[in-house]
Amino acid sequence: MDNLRDPLSVTLVTESRLTSTDFNDLGFGNHFSDHMFSMEFENGAWRNPSIIPYGPIAMEPGTGALHYSQSVFEGLKAFRGSDDQIRVFRPDMNARRMARSCERLCIPVIDPALFIEAVRAIVRTDQDWIPGKRGQALYVRPIVFGVEPHLEVRPASRYRFLIMTSPVRTYYGDEITPVALHVQQHYTRASPGGVGEAKTGGNYAASLLPGERARDQGFNQALWLDGIEHKYVEEVGQMNIFFRFGDTVVTPALRGTILPGVTRDSVITLLRDQGFAVEERRLAVDEVLEGSRSGTLREVFGAGTAAVIAPVGRICLGGTTYEINNNEPGELTGALYNKITSIQYGETNDPHGWNMLVPAGKAAAAAE
Ligand SMILES: *Cc1c(COP(=O)(O)O)cnc(C)c1O
C-alpha cells in the first residue's frame, strides 16, 4: 500500500456471515459485509490504516459528531462483471468530493490517493460479498467524523474514517418503475452559502420530515426547489435530476446548493458523447410544468449511485399531478441506464476509463 504511511494491518473475522445472507432478498443497505476499513486522525496525521471485523465501535457520549454533526460520507459501488472481473465505478470522483466535503466541515482531508487505496483494500478483502447478478452490487460507504468528546462548538481534534460495504440491489428495486415526486414548496434542503454541496448527514436529517410527508401522500420523494425563491428546481435529495425537452436535456447548474453527483457528471458526459445538447442552468419549476402541458417535456429522470438512473413518471405540485411520458420509462432514460450499467459490469468498452479494476485474490488482503 504505497499511499498509506503506516502499513495496513489486517484482522480477519473467524467466521464469515456470508452464508447466512440471503442474496435474493438484499434490499438496500440492510446487510453489512464481514469487514471494514478503519483509520484514525490524531496528532495531525491519519494513522493506523486497518481492515477489521465490521461491528460496534466504542464512542463516548460526548463524541462531537453526535452533537454537532461534524461528519461527511460518500457512496460508490463495486460490481462483479459476467467476466468475474471486479470494477469500482469512478472512485477518484468520490475521493475528490470527500476532500471538498471535509474542507467545508473542517475535517482533516484524506488524500484522494489514500482514499482510493482504502476502497481497493476493503473491496478486495470482502470481494466474496460482491453479488453476481446484474442489477446487484456492493455498495461502498466511507464515513468520516469527529470522535473527540467535547461540548464546545469547534472542530474536533480527533477523527475516525471508516469504510463499510453492503451488498445491494438497485435502490428502487430490480425493475425500472417510474418514481413519483412531490414538489416541496415549503421546506428547503439547502441554501446558498450552506452545506448543500457537501455530502454531510445534516442535509439528510433536514430532508426526513418533508420526505415522510411526500410518502404519506403516495410519492416516493420530495423534489427540492431553491431556498430563496422556491421557484427553481434543485435536486431530489439522493439523486440529481434531468429534464428532456425535445432533444435538449436540462439539469440544474451546480451553484453551491446541489450535490455534485458522480452519476450526474457521467450522464452529462455520455449525453454529450452522443451529440445531445445538455444545458446546465437554472430551471424554473414553471418551465417544467409548462413543458408538460405543451408536450415538449418528453422525459424526466433522476441520477445517483444507488438507483443509477430512475425514471420519473409523475410530478405533483400543489394539488395537481403531472404525468410524464404516460408514467413510463422514457427511451433516453432506458438507454442511459443501459449504457452506464454496461460500463459498470464490463459489458461494453469504457471510453473514459471510469472503472477501477480490483485484482481478485485476497490473500493477506490488499496488504501488498
Ligand atoms: C450522493 C448524492 C447524490 C448523488 O450523487 P452520486 O455521486 O451520483 O451518487 C445526489 N444528491 C445528494 C444530496 C447526494 O447526497
Side-chain angles (χ1 to χ4, degrees):
M1 277 218 144
D2 294 333
N3 291 303
L4 298 177
R5 191 185 297 184
D6 298 346
L8 180 72
S9 91
V10 179
T11 310
L12 300 179
V13 295
T14 45
E15 208 176 318
S16 173
R17 285 177 281 102
L18 190 58
T19 46
S20 56
T21 304
D22 184 359
F23 275 68
N24 293 315
D25 185 24
L26 285 177
F28 192 92
N30 301 330
H31 306 276
F32 292 97
S33 62
D34 286 328
H35 302 94
M36 59 186 178
F37 178 90
S38 169
M39 199 163 64
E40 287 141 35
F41 184 89
E42 225 168 14
N43 301 324
W46 284 104
R47 295 174 198 284
N48 301 331
S50 48
I51 301 276
I52 53 177
Y54 173 86
I57 52 173
M59 282 196 298
E60 285 193 39
T63 296
L66 293 177
H67 300 254
Y68 307 128
S69 300
Q70 199 195 8
S71 70
V72 305
F73 69 98
E74 268 303 327
L76 62 164
K77 279 177 173 171
F79 302 86
R80 183 184 299 287
S82 49
D83 57 357
D84 224 27
Q85 175 67 247
I86 300 162
R87 295 173 178 83
V88 179
F89 192 65
R90 308 192 74 180
D92 54 310
M93 294 284 282
N94 300 88
R96 288 200 299 270
R97 186 171 65 193
M98 180 164 241
R100 290 196 305 273
S101 298
C102 282
E103 275 172 14
R104 181 64 181 82
L105 275 287
C106 286
I107 295 173
V109 165
I110 294 154
D111 178 60
L114 199 156
F115 175 101
I116 293 168
E117 281 313 301
V119 167
R120 197 200 301 271
I122 190 62
V123 169
R124 197 169 173 191
T125 303
D126 276 341
Q127 59 185 272
D128 291 347
W129 287 81
I130 308 172
K133 270 194 208 152
R134 208 184 190 291
Q136 300 178 330
L138 189 70
Y139 184 74
V140 178
R141 166 55 62 85
I143 180 169
V144 54
F145 52 98
V147 293
E148 181 198 0
H150 69 89
L151 297 181
E152 198 187 334
V153 178
R154 59 163 170 80
S157 62
R158 292 192 287 116
Y159 297 83
R160 186 95 184 254
F161 174 61
L162 299 171
I163 309 178
M164 63 207 86
T165 70
S166 170
V168 297
R169 60 154 166 72
T170 49
Y171 199 76
Y172 292 103
D174 293 332
E175 284 178 14
I176 311 186
T177 344
V179 297
L181 300 180
H182 179 252
V183 180
Q184 179 48 249
Q185 294 180 284
H186 175 71
Y187 297 105
T188 55
R189 195 193 79 93
S191 53
V195 292
E197 67 183 340
K199 210 164 173 79
T200 181
N203 290 325
Y204 280 77
S207 77
L208 292 177
L209 180 66
E212 286 305 291
R213 295 270 161 84
R215 267 178 286 278
D216 288 346
Q217 295 170 57
F219 301 96
N220 298 87
Q221 291 204 27
L223 175 62
W224 299 105
L225 301 181
D226 74 279
I228 292 181
E229 294 175 77
H230 295 205
K231 190 171 156 189
Y232 299 98
V233 175
E234 297 246 295
E235 62 161 297
V236 185
Q238 291 149 26
M239 296 190 293
N240 296 109
I241 188 140
F242 290 80
F243 301 84
R244 177 185 183 185
F245 298 93
D247 277 330
T248 299
V249 179
V250 182
T251 193
L254 303 175
R255 301 162 62 93
T257 53
I258 296 175
L259 203 287
V262 176
T263 320
R264 176 186 183 278
D265 182 84
S266 308
V267 164
I268 293 172
T269 303
L270 293 174
L271 284 173
R272 289 189 176 143
D273 284 354
Q274 288 165 46
F276 277 91
V278 183
E279 296 176 3
E280 296 177 73
R281 61 170 169 88
R282 291 193 114 180
L283 175 65
V285 70
D286 282 345
E287 186 181 336
V288 172
L289 303 182
E290 180 47 38
S292 169
R293 282 188 287 263
S294 71
T296 55
L297 180 66
R298 295 170 64 184
E299 300 182 46
V300 181
F301 58 89
T305 295
V308 190
I309 302 289
V312 174
R314 286 179 296 141
I315 295 180
C316 173
L317 181 121
T320 314
T321 297
Y322 298 80
E323 212 165 73
I324 321 286
N325 196 40
N326 301 317
N327 198 20
E328 276 168 29
E331 150 204 36
L332 187 59
T333 305
L336 280 165
Y337 179 87
N338 290 337
K339 181 73 189 170
I340 293 178
T341 52
S342 306
I343 294 173
Q344 292 171 330
Y345 289 95
E347 296 158 357
T348 182
N349 64 344
D350 175 15
H352 299 283
W354 285 340
N355 293 316
M356 173 177 83
L357 301 184
V358 175
K362 60 196 149 172
E368 308 147 20

